């Protein structure tokens, strides 16, 4: 993502992305994204992006993040994200409508301001399209552990 500050708390962003699953051989989708990221009152970080895929699929993603400083270096980060598709994508097995909802909590330790490992848990769910026989549609949930390294450069 390329980001440009346009106000004291607002950034415009544009970028390229790709997604796909290896589990069911559904293929990949390349896309272009454009959106805005802003810090709103009470120090919430909010992102809203419009995504257009190479197959013409249009979707929107909204993310909210709140960081709680537990100490000078230890930070808890709550995060919620939802994705809505304007039309179905049979190639990806993605239905139209509420595509995915995720919520999670991460605990980050800043060794340096620019280097911070984190661990956390993330709950997610999404709609599953019906199979050819009309069965299998509904909302599927999953819980997973996350770990990573946050780097600033």
């Amino acid at each position: 993502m390329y980001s440009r500050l346009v106000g004291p708390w607002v950034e415009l962003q544009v970028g390229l992305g790709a997604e796909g699953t290896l589990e069911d051989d559904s293929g990949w989708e390349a896309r272009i994204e454009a959106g805005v990221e802003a810090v709103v009152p009470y120090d919430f970080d909010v992102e809203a992006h419009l995504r257009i895929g190479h197959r013409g699929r249009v979707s929107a993603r909204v993310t909210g993040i709140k960081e709680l400083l537990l100490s000078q270096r230890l930070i808890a980060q709550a995060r919620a994200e939802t994705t809505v598709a304007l039309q179905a994508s049979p190639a990806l097995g993605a239905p139209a409508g509420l595509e995915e909802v995720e919520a999670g909590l991460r605990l980050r330790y800043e060794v340096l301001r620019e280097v911070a490992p984190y661990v956390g848990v993330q709950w997610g769910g999404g709609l599953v399209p019906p199979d050819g026989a009309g069965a299998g549609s509904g909302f599927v949930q999953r819980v997973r552990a996350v770990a990573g390294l946050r780097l600033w450069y």
Side-chain angles (χ1 to χ4, degrees):
M1 290 291 242
Y2 171 76
S3 184
R4 178 99 175 159
L5 192 64
V6 294
W9 298 285
V10 180
E11 292 181 51
L12 292 181
Q13 300 176 336
V14 65
L16 301 172
E19 70 179 296
T21 59
L22 299 175
E23 299 168 1
D24 57 4
D25 195 32
S26 62
W28 288 87
E29 179 182 62
R31 65 175 179 266
I32 186 166
E33 294 189 33
V36 63
E37 180 176 352
V39 178
V40 297
Y42 301 103
D43 201 30
F44 281 91
D45 187 9
V46 178
E47 301 175 11
H49 290 91
L50 182 66
R51 308 154 103 185
I52 301 171
H54 77 279
R55 296 183 178 114
R57 182 169 164 261
V58 179
S59 63
R61 186 186 74 210
V62 177
T63 306
I65 300 169
K66 175 68 176 169
E67 291 187 346
L68 303 168
L69 294 153
L70 303 176
S71 73
Q72 292 279 336
R73 294 178 181 248
L74 190 62
I75 296 127
Q77 181 188 68
R79 176 184 192 99
E81 182 175 309
T82 185
T83 305
V84 178
L86 299 180
Q87 72 263 13
S89 175
L92 287 176
L98 180 63
E99 190 174 62
E100 189 171 20
V101 176
E102 290 187 348
L105 184 64
R106 295 178 182 181
L107 191 59
R108 181 175 77 231
Y109 183 78
E110 293 184 343
V111 178
L112 301 170
R113 184 85 169 126
E114 297 83 10
V115 179
Y118 65 86
V119 295
V121 64
Q122 187 168 324
W123 170 88
L127 292 176
V128 175
D131 61 14
S137 65
F139 193 81
V140 175
Q141 299 182 52
R142 65 186 175 281
V143 177
R144 58 185 160 194
V146 294
L149 182 65
R150 177 178 159 167
L151 297 172
W152 281 10
Y153 59 91

